[in-house]
Structures are given as C-alpha cells and as structure tokens.
C-alpha cells in the first residue's frame, strides 16, 4: 500500500484578526481550490435557533456589501470555476475551484461575504431563503421514501438537549419565529475571521496567498468570545434499546440499526470505520454476503453500513437493509442485528481486513487526488484538530486497525442493549 503520509507541502499563518490560513502548493495544473471552514454547525445552535447554520449556507450566496444577489455564483462560474457550500452538525464550509489567475477574485468574494453580509441582509432576502429551505425539507426529507430517516435517528441516538439531537435542516417553526435582527446577530457571532480557516490548494505560493488573505480579510475585525458549543461527548445510556417503527409511503420495508461509537478523529472511530467497511461496503461485505446473497432477505443494491463522522460526540455506525418481496421487517431486522452481533464473536479474517483497508485507502487517495478534496481535508483538520498535517492520520489510523480491535469495539459499543432500530413499513394498499 502507498505511504500514508501527506505528500504535499503545507504552510500556515494566522492573521492578526485570528483567521488561520493554510496553503498547499501544487503546480500540477493551473487551478486553485479555495475552501473556507467556519466552526459553526447545527451543534452550535441555541434552543429556538435550530436550522440557522444551514439557512446561512443559502443566505451567503444572496449578496453582500459589494456583491449583488446571485453575483457571487455568476462571477465564479463566469471565470471558469465551480462552487458550492455544505453544512453539517460540526461546521459550515464554502468552496470554489477556479483557474489560478482568478484566485484573487475568489478570495475577495469570500472576504466580502464574511465581513459584508449583515449590512446587505434584508427582510425580503431572509423570507425568500426561508421558503427555499422549506422546499428543500419537503424535497429531501418529507416527500422522499425513507427521506426522514436521519431526522428520526438523531433523536433516538442523542437525548433532548444534546447538541446532536437535531438535524441541520432544523425546525421550520424556529426559522419562522426568528426576526431579521436575530439572524444578523447569529452571523456576527459565528461568521468571523477568528472562527474560520481559509485553505488554498493548487497553483499558488504560500507567500502569494498570505498576502492576498491579508489584503482582503485582514481588515475584518475579530469577533472574540465566540460561544462554545455545548459539550456532547457524554451521552447517558439507557441500557435498553430504542425502537421506532414508521408506516409510510415506501416501496418496501427497510431497517436501520444504529449504535453510538467514538468521535471522529479518535482511534476508536478509526476502528469503527474499518468495522463498518467490513460490515457493509460492497458485495464482499458481511451484510451483503449474508442477507443479500445468502439468506436473500435484503435487496442487493440496498444493503450497507457506514459511519457518520461527527467529531464532538460518540459518532454513529449505521447498518441498513431493505427487504426483498415477501420478507417481513422483523425477519430483516433480526438478520441485520445478527450480522452486527457477530462482529464481536466471529473474528474478522485477514482477507476481510485487507479488503476493507484497500477500499478505504482508495477512497482516501481519490480525495487527495483533487485540489478541492485536499483543501477540504486540510481545512477540516485545521479546524477540528488544530493541525492540517493530521490529515494523513486518517489513512494511517485505518491501516493500523486489527481484527482484535474490531471485536473489542463490537463487544463494547455495538451491543443490543444500546441499539437503535428504526423500521419503515409500507402502507397497506387495497
């Protein structure tokens, strides 16, 4: 297997206002990826303000002091670039990949919406984007078969008051109730240079990027005293499984079996990641071999397992399967649970372990093969762990996992007593 170290240069600096700047020069192609990580996600949202971080993912494209509504997107795309943004419980990030000669444009645009969104934010824009989020909720969660599974799993995994109890889409009631001033205050609190990491990867020198960052971001004042998110590392166990059954307009019964494991970035989560790959990645996985190919309980393309890489709480490992015609939800749930339980009692073979590590290595190198993939990874590790070079730890952590560690993890945290089972049943038709 290839060396697991990070094979590109990394240089960092911090502006006087607290903005951390990370640069990894790569002259392979005349392009640069710009990635801005803000340390704000749904876990930071106070009671009554759920969905705010995700709404700002939309609002940040709706104009700022020097950039008219929708112009950010037009300028980047008109320069031959691509762009997007995402929000999750831990962070919000904005990113674009542009020809190297347009690096300055990308940095100016990001700085303008960091420092100049609030003065340009109007009630009309706010109302418009609230409606966009409502439509997104309907299209992605409410009107799609099994679409609300994540919305249901989070409250089962994390109790009320826990920072991961609610999804990033948030509560429509909270979004509707908040006035313009409340949204402006949220932006002033979290979208500040001392709560952000700017990463640039590609055809640019560190000196060039540092100078441009100072020019465009340097005058934006630090926020200071940014509120910390509630601590989510402790989740009180109930010592009894959590079960929810939903009857909905779905084509077949589906089961989700979930467990809390360890936070992303920890050795325990590396073990959980390899375990999930053994359990449910592809045709060689245990779930596929047993439930799809063997006992023929699950549909072949609808069985799998994965971890959700939450960094500030015991992160979930989720196994899922969808029933073949004639298979009951109970049969399916029992089958999934049995395969999960066997991770503790049936040792992972060297073949299984090598296969899982090969799949994970391929995925890591595929991300590292692009400037935008590297920029996102460096921004993540700088934000969440204080050191972008720790990006390489992810692969080396996976490669060091042993079969014994997987068995120990399964016996410790993948237990029936601490299991969440979410089952979807199709509505009866006449």
């Amino acid at each position: 297997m290839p060396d697991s170290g990070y094979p590109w240069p990394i240089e960092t600096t911090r502006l006087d206002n607290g903005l951390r700047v990370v640069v990894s020069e790569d002259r392979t192609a005349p392009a640069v990826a710009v990635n801005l990580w803000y340390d704000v996600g749904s876990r930071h949202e106070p009671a009554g303000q759920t969905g705010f971080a995700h709404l700002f993912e939309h609002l940040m494209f709706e104009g700022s002091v020097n950039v008219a509504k929708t112009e950010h997107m037009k300028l980047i795309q008109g320069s031959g670039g691509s762009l997007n943004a995402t929000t999750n419980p831990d962070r919000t990030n904005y990113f674009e990949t542009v020809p190297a000669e347009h690096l300055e444009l990308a940095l100016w645009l990001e700085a303008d919406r960091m420092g100049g969104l609030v003065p340009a934010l109007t009630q009309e824009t706010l109302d418009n984007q609230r409606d966009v989020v409502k439509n997104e909720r309907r299209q992605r969660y409410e009107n799609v078969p099994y679409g609300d599974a994540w919305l249901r799993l989070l409250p089962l995994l994390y109790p009320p008051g826990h920072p991961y109890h609610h999804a990033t889409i948030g509560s429509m009631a909270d979004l509707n109730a908040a006035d313009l001033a409340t949204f402006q205050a949220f932006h002033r609190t979290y979208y500040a240079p001392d709560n952000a990491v700017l990463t640039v990867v590609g055809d640019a020198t560190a000196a060039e990027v540092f100078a441009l960052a100072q020019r465009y971001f340097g005058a934006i004042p630090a926020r200071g005293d940014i509120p910390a998110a509630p601590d989510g590392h402790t989740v009180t166990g109930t010592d009894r499984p959590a079960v929810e059954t939903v009857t909905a307009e779905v084509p077949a019964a589906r089961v989700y079996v979930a467990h809390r494991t360890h936070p992303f970035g920890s050795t325990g989560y590396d073990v959980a990641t390899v375990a999930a790959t053994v359990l449910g990645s592809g045709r060689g996985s245990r779930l596929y071999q047993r439930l799809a190919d063997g006992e023929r309980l699950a549909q072949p393309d609808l069985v799998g397992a994965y971890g959700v890489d939450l960094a500030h709480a015991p992160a979930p490992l989720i196994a899922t399967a969808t029933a073949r015609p004639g298979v009951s939800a109970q049969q399916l749930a029992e089958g999934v649970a049995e395969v999960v339980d066997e991770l503790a009692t049936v040792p992972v073979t060297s073949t299984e372990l090598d296969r899982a590590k090969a799949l994970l290595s391929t995925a890591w190198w595929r991300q590292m093969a692009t400037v935008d993939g590297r920029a996102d990874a460096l921004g993540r590790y700088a934000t969440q762990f204080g050191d972008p070079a720790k990006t390489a730890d992810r692969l080396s952590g996976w490669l060091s996992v042993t079969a014994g560690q997987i068995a120990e993890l399964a016996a410790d945290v993948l237990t029936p007593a601490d299991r969440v089972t979410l089952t979807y049943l199709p509505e009866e038709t006449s």
Side-chain angles (χ1 to χ4, degrees), residues 40-42 45 49-61 85-88 91-92 94 129-130 132-137 140-141 167-170 172 175 183 186 191:
V40 57
S42 56
E45 295 165 345
Q49 296 184 13
T50 64
F52 276 36
H54 173 253
L55 181 62
F56 270 104
E57 177 194 321
H58 293 262
L59 289 172
M60 294 278 270
F61 287 98
T86 63
T87 309
N88 74 14
R91 59 94 184 106
T92 306
Y94 299 87
Q129 291 307 305
R130 273 196 278 224
V132 169
V133 171
K134 291 176 189 176
N135 285 331
E136 180 180 345
R137 184 183 179 98
R140 290 184 57 190
Y141 298 96
T168 56
I169 195 71
M172 295 305 101
L175 292 178
F183 283 102
F186 188 87
Y191 297 82

Side-chain angles (χ1 to χ4, degrees), residues 50 62 73 79 124 156 159 164 168 176 184 238 250 261 282 311 346 361 369 389 401-403 413 423-424 427:
T50 64
E62 293 302 304
M73 190 171 295
S79 300
E124 179 184 4
L156 294 171
Y164 289 153
T168 56
N176 287 333
Q184 290 172 328
T238 61
V250 295
T261 64
V346 179
S361 296
V401 171
T402 67
V413 299
T423 302
Y424 282 86
E427 294 176 344

Side-chain angles (χ1 to χ4, degrees), residues 3-4 17 35 50 58 78 107 111 114 118 131-132 160 252 278 324 363 366 425:
D3 178 71
S4 60
N17 60 10
N35 199 303
T50 64
H58 293 262
L107 296 181
M114 176 188 282
V118 167
D131 288 340
V132 169
V278 169
R324 288 179 184 264
R366 185 177 290 121
L425 302 176

Side-chain angles (χ1 to χ4, degrees), residues 25-152:
E25 182 179 347
D26 181 355
R27 298 295 188 177
T28 305
V32 289
V34 175
N35 199 303
L36 194 60
W37 268 60
Y38 289 97
D39 191 6
V40 57
S42 56
R43 76 185 186 97
H44 296 81
E45 295 165 345
Q49 296 184 13
T50 64
F52 276 36
H54 173 253
L55 181 62
F56 270 104
E57 177 194 321
H58 293 262
L59 289 172
M60 294 278 270
F61 287 98
E62 293 302 304
S64 47
V65 170
N66 296 299
V67 181
K69 181 177 180 179
T70 74
E71 283 298 311
H72 187 120
M73 190 171 295
K74 290 178 182 177
L75 286 167
I76 292 294
Q77 292 175 337
S79 300
S82 60
L83 73 166
N84 213 330
T86 63
T87 309
N88 74 14
D90 291 333
R91 59 94 184 106
T92 306
N93 71 327
Y94 299 87
F95 50 94
E96 44 267 312
T97 301
V98 295
E101 63 265 30
H102 296 299
L103 170 62
E104 187 167 1
L105 170 66
L107 296 181
W108 173 74
L109 287 168
E110 290 294 354
D112 198 62
R113 63 179 171 185
M114 176 188 282
L117 182 134
V118 167
L121 183 58
T122 65
Q123 187 68 49
E124 179 184 4
T125 298
L126 176 59
D127 292 342
N128 174 268
Q129 291 307 305
R130 273 196 278 224
D131 288 340
V132 169
V133 171
K134 291 176 189 176
N135 285 331
E136 180 180 345
R137 184 183 179 98
R138 286 189 284 267
Q139 292 171 3
R140 290 184 57 190
Y141 298 96
E142 296 173 355
N143 297 336
V144 178
Y146 321 107
D148 62 351
W150 184 235
L151 306 186
R152 294 179 181 276

Side-chain angles (χ1 to χ4, degrees), residues 127-303:
D127 292 342
N128 174 268
Q129 291 307 305
R130 273 196 278 224
D131 288 340
V132 169
V133 171
K134 291 176 189 176
N135 285 331
E136 180 180 345
R137 184 183 179 98
R138 286 189 284 267
Q139 292 171 3
R140 290 184 57 190
Y141 298 96
E142 296 173 355
N143 297 336
V144 178
Y146 321 107
D148 62 351
W150 184 235
L151 306 186
R152 294 179 181 276
L153 283 169
L154 280 172
L156 294 171
L157 287 162
Y158 305 104
H162 191 278
Y164 289 153
H165 179 73
H166 68 277
T168 56
I169 195 71
S171 159
M172 295 305 101
D174 286 353
L175 292 178
N176 287 333
D179 59 16
L180 181 61
T182 304
F183 283 102
Q184 290 172 328
F186 188 87
H187 186 277
R188 289 192 186 100
T189 298
Y190 293 106
Y191 297 82
D194 46 333
N195 199 44
V197 172
L198 170 67
T199 304
V200 177
V201 175
D203 190 10
T205 67
E208 177 186 2
V209 175
F210 294 163
L212 290 172
Q214 179 60 45
R215 180 182 305 172
Y216 293 114
F217 290 88
I220 302 173
R223 165 64 167 83
D225 299 322
I226 296 168
D231 178 49
H233 286 85
T234 301
V235 180
T236 303
T238 61
D239 291 325
R240 65 177 183 274
V243 177
E244 182 176 347
T245 301
V246 181
T247 300
E249 191 175 339
V250 295
R254 176 176 290 182
V255 173
Y256 295 86
V257 171
H259 297 82
R260 295 179 296 271
T261 64
H262 301 279
F264 170 80
S266 66
T267 299
Y269 189 76
D270 290 338
V271 177
T273 301
V274 179
T277 307
V278 169
L279 192 60
S281 289
R283 291 173 177 254
S285 68
R286 289 190 172 190
L287 283 168
Y288 188 96
Q289 291 289 311
R290 174 75 69 81
L291 301 184
D293 197 35
E295 298 176 16
R296 301 184 67 80
L297 299 177
Q299 297 184 37
D301 296 332
L302 297 173
V303 60

Side-chain angles (χ1 to χ4, degrees), residues 257-259 261 271-292 303-307 316-321 335-344 346 348-349 352-353 355-357 359-360 406 409-410 414 419:
V257 171
H259 297 82
T261 64
V271 177
T273 301
V274 179
T277 307
V278 169
L279 192 60
S281 289
R283 291 173 177 254
S285 68
R286 289 190 172 190
L287 283 168
Y288 188 96
Q289 291 289 311
R290 174 75 69 81
L291 301 184
V303 60
Y306 51 92
L317 187 158
I318 301 171
T320 182
V336 173
E338 184 176 316
V339 177
V340 172
D341 290 341
E342 286 182 356
L343 278 177
V346 179
V348 171
T349 66
E352 288 180 305
L353 197 59
R355 175 183 175 274
K357 291 179 180 181
L359 289 171
L360 291 167
I406 293 175
L409 174 104
L414 306 185
R419 178 167 293 159

